[in-house]
């Protein structure tokens, strides 16, 4: 029978985001002769040589996950391990499921945001087996409620001022599993938050550049990620003692003159908040091109509204960022209020950056 090895890597706790499949050996088709019909003929019974396919998985809680296969299987030899140490954790098969859906129970709870690997074997009734490895982050059962509250898409190398995205925390929780990204930069340049606890009233700033000199040294001191619990650890330009500061190790220009910035869950891509802005002097070509996928996600989320109060992600519904240019480092786009509700262009304004 056919055997295969499957490796899944999830960038956050939740649905499968990417996969690579490696076949170790190609099985054969096994045939057996059985009794035929009353006329004395015979029939051929072909035993399947296809290994099971793991279609998706969901981390349901701190001690449980669900797997979905393309056929009925039994899962054995399941072991959970953490890259942070602590040894292996036994895993058992839970109740319920229909054979194609399998629930696994961990003998102990995972830690929020920590990386884990699950190794197991799935076998079907014909003896075909699949050895697979799943990588995921520990389940976060207390995500915060955040709002995009300020965005600067300009920069000045002379002043060490660069693009940033700032959020406001309406309800406290842990940042693990959340990310910010823009349509102009693309998903590959999104920023995934580390497992940091934040409180209601806190600000969170993602600095989109962390620049180096030609000799490889940093352009300024104090560009420190505040993931150790010290909200005052970052002291570089645009850092704030009342904001959790995080820095992307990036040297390139970020955010476009017309763009879509979103806060979303990494596991399933659900958009939690959005800002659509446009430079009135620029065309909308990208909006119907490379922006289209994120446009659909924003429209489906209902987190951005047009002038009539209807869910939208059209170019015409975007905030007109008058006076915002790639060199307008003294200005930013700021939300007028910090209410937890869908926003529209009327909720944003251009202001002098702090």
């Amino acid at each position: 029978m056919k055997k295969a090895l499957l490796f899944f890597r999830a960038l956050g706790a939740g649905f499968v985001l990417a996969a690579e499949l490696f076949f170790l050996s190609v099985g054969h088709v096994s045939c057996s002769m059985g009794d035929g019909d009353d006329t004395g003929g015979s029939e051929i019974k072909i035993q399947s040589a296809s290994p099971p396919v793991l279609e998706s998985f969901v981390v349901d809680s701190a001690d449980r996950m669900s797997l979905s296969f393309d056929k009925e299987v039994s899962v054995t030899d399941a072991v959970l391990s953490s890259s942070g140490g602590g040894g292996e954790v036994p895993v058992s098969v839970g109740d319920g499921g229909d054979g194609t859906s399998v629930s696994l129970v961990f003998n102990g709870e995972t830690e929020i945001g920590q990386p884990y690997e699950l190794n197991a074997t799935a076998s079907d009734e014909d003896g075909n087996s699949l050895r697979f490895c799943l990588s995921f982050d520990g389940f976060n059962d207390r995500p915060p409620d955040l709002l995009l509250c300020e965005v600067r898409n300009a920069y000045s190398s002379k002043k060490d001022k660069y693009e940033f995205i700032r959020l406001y925390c309406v309800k406290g929780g842990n940042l693990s599993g959340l990310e910010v990204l823009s349509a102009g930069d693309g998903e590959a340049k999104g920023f995934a938050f580390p497992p940091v606890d934040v409180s209601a009233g806190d600000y969170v700033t993602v600095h989109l550049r962390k620049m180096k000199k030609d000799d490889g040294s940093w352009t300024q001191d104090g560009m420190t990620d505040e993931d150790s619990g010290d909200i005052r650890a970052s002291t570089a330009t645009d850092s704030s003692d009342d904001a959790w500061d995080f820095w992307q190790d990036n040297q390139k220009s970020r955010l476009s003159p017309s763009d879509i910035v979103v806060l979303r869950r990494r596991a399933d891509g659900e958009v939690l908040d959005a800002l659509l802005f446009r430079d009135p002097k620029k065309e909308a070509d990208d909006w119907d091109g490379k922006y289209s996928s994120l446009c659909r996600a924003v429209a489906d989320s209902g987190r951005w509204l047009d002038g009539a109060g209807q869910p939208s992600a059209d170019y015409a519904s975007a905030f007109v960022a008058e006076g915002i240019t790639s060199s307008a480092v003294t200005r930013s786009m700021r939300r007028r209020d910090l209410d937890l509700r869908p926003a529209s262009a009327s909720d944003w304004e251009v202001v002098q950056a702090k």
Side-chain angles (χ1 to χ4, degrees):
M1 293 301 97
K2 182 175 285 188
K3 296 180 180 179
L5 173 67
L6 181 64
F7 173 76
F8 276 104
R9 178 167 296 276
L11 298 183
F15 290 99
V16 173
L17 299 182
E20 295 175 354
L21 180 62
F22 302 90
F23 287 103
L24 298 184
S25 61
V26 178
H28 61 278
V29 176
S30 176
C31 300
S32 60
M33 301 300 293
D35 293 335
D37 55 26
D38 294 338
T39 62
S42 299
E43 63 179 1
I44 297 178
K45 296 179 178 179
I46 300 179
Q47 196 171 34
S48 171
S50 300
V53 175
L54 176 55
E55 297 181 329
S56 65
F57 74 95
V58 180
V59 180
D60 303 301
S61 65
D63 62 355
R64 185 180 292 266
M65 73 187 310
S66 300
L67 313 177
S68 179
F69 295 87
D70 68 331
K71 62 174 74 174
E72 291 190 13
V73 298
S74 59
V75 175
T76 58
D77 304 324
V79 175
L80 181 70
S81 59
S82 171
S83 61
E88 296 182 340
V89 176
V91 179
S92 59
V93 177
D95 297 330
D98 57 6
T100 60
S101 298
V102 178
S103 177
L104 297 181
V105 180
F106 313 143
N107 184 24
E109 293 190 350
T110 55
E111 185 176 345
I112 292 177
Q114 295 304 306
Y116 291 89
E117 283 191 356
L118 177 99
N119 288 273
T121 299
S123 304
D124 63 21
E125 61 180 5
D126 295 325
N128 304 303
S129 63
L130 174 76
R131 184 67 181 170
F132 59 91
C133 175
L134 304 177
S135 297
F136 62 94
D137 293 336
F139 184 78
N140 183 7
D141 61 352
R142 48 186 188 86
D145 286 337
L146 299 175
L147 289 175
L148 295 166
C149 68
E150 187 174 5
V151 172
R152 184 169 73 202
N153 68 332
Y155 67 93
S156 170
S157 299
K158 293 181 179 180
K159 297 180 180 179
D160 279 329
K161 286 180 171 288
Y162 297 98
E163 305 92 327
F164 64 74
I165 298 172
R166 183 165 291 140
L167 304 100
Y168 177 73
C169 182
V170 179
K171 185 186 78 172
N174 192 285
L175 295 173
S176 177
L178 302 179
E179 66 178 347
V180 289
L181 57 92
S182 77
D185 289 336
E187 294 193 12
K189 293 183 180 178
F191 177 81
F193 288 103
V196 172
D197 283 337
V198 294
S199 301
D202 287 351
Y203 288 88
V204 180
T205 304
V206 180
H207 305 269
L208 299 180
R209 287 205 236 184
K210 188 177 181 182
M211 300 297 290
K212 292 181 179 179
K213 300 176 184 177
D214 292 339
D215 62 4
S217 62
W218 298 115
T219 56
Q220 57 176 327
D221 296 329
M223 294 182 289
T224 304
D225 288 331
E226 294 174 339
D227 53 5
S228 62
D230 182 2
I231 198 171
R232 295 178 173 83
S234 182
T235 58
T237 304
D238 290 324
S239 298
S240 174
D241 286 349
D242 65 352
W244 296 96
D245 293 288
F246 303 100
W247 297 81
Q248 281 195 296
D249 189 2
N250 162 66
Q251 312 292 307
K252 305 284 186 181
S253 177
R254 301 295 297 275
L255 301 178
S256 300
S258 298
D259 214 333
I260 301 172
V261 178
V262 302
L263 165 72
R264 74 178 187 182
R265 274 202 306 256
R266 302 186 74 210
D268 56 10
E270 180 180 351
V271 173
L272 304 175
D273 198 19
L275 165 63
L276 285 65
F277 63 90
R278 60 186 174 95
D279 184 336
K281 299 178 182 179
K282 302 292 183 180
E283 298 296 327
D285 295 344
D286 287 337
W287 223 267
D288 298 323
K290 68 176 184 178
Y291 290 9
S292 59
S293 177
L294 201 57
C295 277
R296 288 192 297 271
V298 170
D300 290 344
S301 74
R303 302 306 300 174
W304 184 260
L305 307 177
D306 62 17
Q310 298 300 309
S312 177
D314 293 340
Y315 180 77
S317 73
F319 169 61
V320 180
E322 295 279 4
I324 290 290
T325 67
S326 61
S327 61
V329 74
T330 60
R331 293 187 283 276
S332 66
M333 292 167 279
R334 191 177 301 168
R335 198 169 189 145
R336 295 178 186 274
D337 62 59
L338 300 175
D339 295 333
L340 188 62
R341 57 175 175 78
S344 67
S346 63
D347 292 302
W348 287 81
E349 61 183 340
V350 175
V351 298
Q352 291 295 118
K354 291 182 179 180

